[in-house]
Amino acid sequence: PARYFDTKTTEPISFFLSGLEELLAWQPNSNDEFNVSAVPLAKRQPPLLSRRPRTLVCHDMQGGYLEDRFIQGSATRNPYVFYHWRYIDIFVYFSHHTVTIPPVVWTNAAHRNSVPALGTFITEWTDGQKLCEAFLAGGEEAYGAVAEQLARIAQHYRFDGWLINIENTLSAAAVGNLPLFLRDLTARVHSAVPGGLVIWYDSVLTDGTLRWQNELNDQNRIFFDACDGLFTNYNWKEEQLERTQRLAGPRLNDVYVGVDVFGRGDVIGGGFDTDKSLRMIRQYGLSAAIFAPGWVYEHLGKENFLQNENRFWGSLAEYLPTHSISTLPLTTSFSLGMGNSTFLDGKDEESGPWYDLSAQDIQPLYPEQQGMLSTSCCLQDAWCGGSSLQLQGTIPPGEERVAVRLFSLQMPAPPKLFLTLLYKLEGPQPDDFTVALEVTTWDSGMCFEGNPTSLPEPNGRYYPRFLPAPPPGLAKLLAACHRGSQGWTSRCYELELQDCSLRDLSVIVSRQQPSPQETSFTCLLGEVRVLDTASLAASPPQVHSVTASQLWWQ
């Protein structure tokens, strides 16, 4: 069927639903299997609903369902990718179709990086008005059926909820039932989807007129009270933030103040001035909804996209609280889910562009220190996948080393950790440098390394012990200890900790000899793994009753 498979290539595709009939007629279907997210939402610290300002990203690009609709990837050159997941809390996929089901590749990439993915339910113009009359004015049975279908769809495809966007006027009967519909939908989503969310877009008022308020006030508060959050329109001024803060009270973090990166209308700042808007929003402790950050790709072009993307998110980083990884194993080759080649064990196995966000790895922080250090994606060389992580920086005169924080962690340390690192030093004198891993722990008088007679590190910094060969029993899994090739160096480490809590994982680049000059380095990271030794020793669960269906041989 054309909804599930591309008519030209027969490849499985992601899809949307149009109109009320399609929504109410929707049933799970055996052709659906490709569209169900296969990646559970990874845990994070602090949890999403902690008392701190959050960041929502609303992705709206050229009508949606572009090359990202191909569930098994496509040969797209210079595609749009998003990878600053550590800096955001919620991802919304937006289009102007009635029911926007997020393409499964986005849900997979978001989940792998601990970010929930929401779809959009939108009604607009006169068609939207008719649609709303049909289900909202019809009473409890009619709006209950819509709420039930939306909750079932999120549950079936394993995404995390909905942005509700009613952009048309409503009759008195319809607007009277709207808060009841929102309450019903929110309750059903919460029960069907663990951690599910329903967010209301600032549009219709209690009297049914369509007038964007750019704030939380008495004319839209009833809708905010009925769901998990409000996403405001974009043309706010500072006094509206002040009023919103007052009215929201303890639900301050559930108001997502809209920021249009395209800067349309009368706004504080978009484009590379988006930080001005964020600074003001954060002064009032409010959450932010960054709309259409694809501006970087659409407006500035595909050519220098990765460079511009790092510049854009780097300019916002101080206003974006990050979240930490809270489970092991942590393993990543830094792949963006795209490439100009496919690499395996450092070898270019297949030249040619590819794009598949489901293949995106866990993404690191992208720290920048003005002039001293930059972290970026390198598509020219990789250990596995399409890209590696490039660290470029200088070691200042008189100093021996520079630390690059890759991941923030927050979890109890297992008694014994194995860590592996693959890297490649570039530049005129690669032998002048050494590269190693550093693990830091949260301050605690209880935390010790190795045996209890050792003293605790004053600043909780630990340098895992270098292992020239993997320990017996793990040789197969940790072949990484001596598998460097194609110019990549491989390192394997062990760290024993007692009563510690992990905090950061950093890479340390040191010079071999002290020097009065500053020294520049370029280092590619191909892979990093942090493994709990105890869970490695356990044998993996057996796989039973594998079936294959829909085979087509060419």
Side-chain angles (χ1 to χ4, degrees), residues 491-530:
R491 289 278 182 262
C492 208
Y493 307 90
E494 182 179 70
L495 181 60
E496 291 184 59
L497 295 170
Q498 287 194 358
D499 302 320
C500 299
S501 186
L502 300 178
R503 182 175 187 164
D504 284 318
L505 177 68
S506 301
V507 164
I508 306 291
V509 180
S510 318
R511 21 178 175 214
Q512 300 276 26
Q513 253 71 49
S515 162
Q517 266 86 46
E518 65 172 38
T519 323
S520 303
F521 64 87
T522 300
C523 176
L524 300 182
L525 298 186
E527 182 187 75
V528 170
R529 298 193 290 176
V530 183

Side-chain angles (χ1 to χ4, degrees), residues 214-525:
N214 305 296
E215 66 178 315
L216 172 66
N217 60 27
D218 290 333
Q219 299 186 76
N220 60 21
R221 182 181 184 158
I222 189 168
F223 309 122
F224 174 61
D225 291 341
C227 68
D228 297 308
L230 167 75
F231 178 153
T232 78
N233 192 47
Y234 313 104
N235 306 117
W236 43 268
K237 293 284 170 275
E238 188 165 5
E239 56 270 22
Q240 289 168 302
L241 299 182
E242 207 174 326
R243 291 199 293 264
T244 296
Q245 181 194 45
R246 269 206 309 276
L247 193 60
R251 286 193 66 198
L252 186 67
N253 304 142
D254 294 338
V255 180
Y256 300 86
V257 180
V259 178
D260 178 7
V261 181
F262 277 84
R264 290 162 284 210
D266 182 10
V267 299
I268 302 290
F272 284 121
D273 289 331
T274 300
D275 59 316
K276 293 179 179 155
S277 296
L278 274 178
R279 181 181 309 128
M280 197 177 282
I281 291 166
R282 297 308 196 208
Q283 279 166 0
Y284 292 92
L286 296 160
S287 290
I290 300 176
F291 183 75
W295 170 85
V296 175
Y297 182 84
E298 291 184 61
H299 180 72
L300 302 173
K302 304 173 179 186
E303 277 54 55
N304 290 328
F305 166 61
L306 296 176
Q307 221 173 323
N308 290 328
E309 182 77 341
N310 288 345
R311 180 185 159 202
F312 176 77
W313 289 98
S315 73
L316 306 181
E318 66 176 295
Y319 307 110
L320 305 175
T322 59
H323 45 91
S324 304
I325 290 172
S326 63
T327 50
L328 293 179
L330 162 58
T331 165
T332 181
S333 303
F334 306 104
S335 180
L336 296 174
M338 62 162 283
N340 298 327
S341 282
T342 305
F343 292 86
L344 187 61
D345 291 345
K347 277 206 288 292
D348 184 343
E349 291 279 313
E350 194 179 339
S351 271
W354 63 275
Y355 175 45
D356 179 2
L357 287 170
S358 289
Q360 188 183 76
D361 269 313
I362 292 178
Q363 292 298 308
L365 297 160
Y366 282 87
E368 298 274 332
Q369 293 161 8
Q370 262 12 77
M372 295 284 294
L373 176 73
S374 73
T375 328
S376 57
C377 315
C378 171
L379 297 173
Q380 287 71 46
D381 198 356
W383 174 255
C384 177
S387 52
S388 56
L389 189 69
Q390 178 171 281
L391 313 177
Q392 282 182 302
T394 52
I395 301 176
E399 290 188 27
E400 281 168 35
R401 33 169 275 171
V402 63
V404 185
R405 186 164 153 252
L406 295 180
F407 294 100
S408 60
L409 311 168
Q410 204 171 331
M411 64 187 113
K416 197 185 234 186
L417 287 170
F418 278 117
L419 302 97
T420 67
L421 168 68
L422 273 150
Y423 67 89
K424 182 185 271 195
L425 281 162
E426 303 205 306
Q429 282 133 342
D431 298 340
D432 292 356
F433 300 96
T434 56
V435 180
L437 290 174
E438 175 188 81
V439 174
T440 58
T441 57
W442 293 89
D443 280 339
S444 140
M446 308 286 292
C447 170
F448 294 95
E449 179 176 2
N451 55 21
T453 55
S454 65
L455 292 169
E457 286 283 329
N459 52 5
R461 292 180 188 282
Y462 297 95
Y463 302 100
R465 195 162 60 84
F466 173 61
L467 296 177
L474 292 176
K476 200 163 165 193
L477 188 93
L478 295 180
C481 301
H482 41 64
R483 61 176 185 160
S485 65
Q486 310 291 318
W488 292 89
T489 302
S490 173
R491 289 278 182 262
C492 208
Y493 307 90
E494 182 179 70
L495 181 60
E496 291 184 59
L497 295 170
Q498 287 194 358
D499 302 320
C500 299
S501 186
L502 300 178
R503 182 175 187 164
D504 284 318
L505 177 68
S506 301
V507 164
I508 306 291
V509 180
S510 318
R511 21 178 175 214
Q512 300 276 26
Q513 253 71 49
S515 162
Q517 266 86 46
E518 65 172 38
T519 323
S520 303
F521 64 87
T522 300
C523 176
L524 300 182
L525 298 186

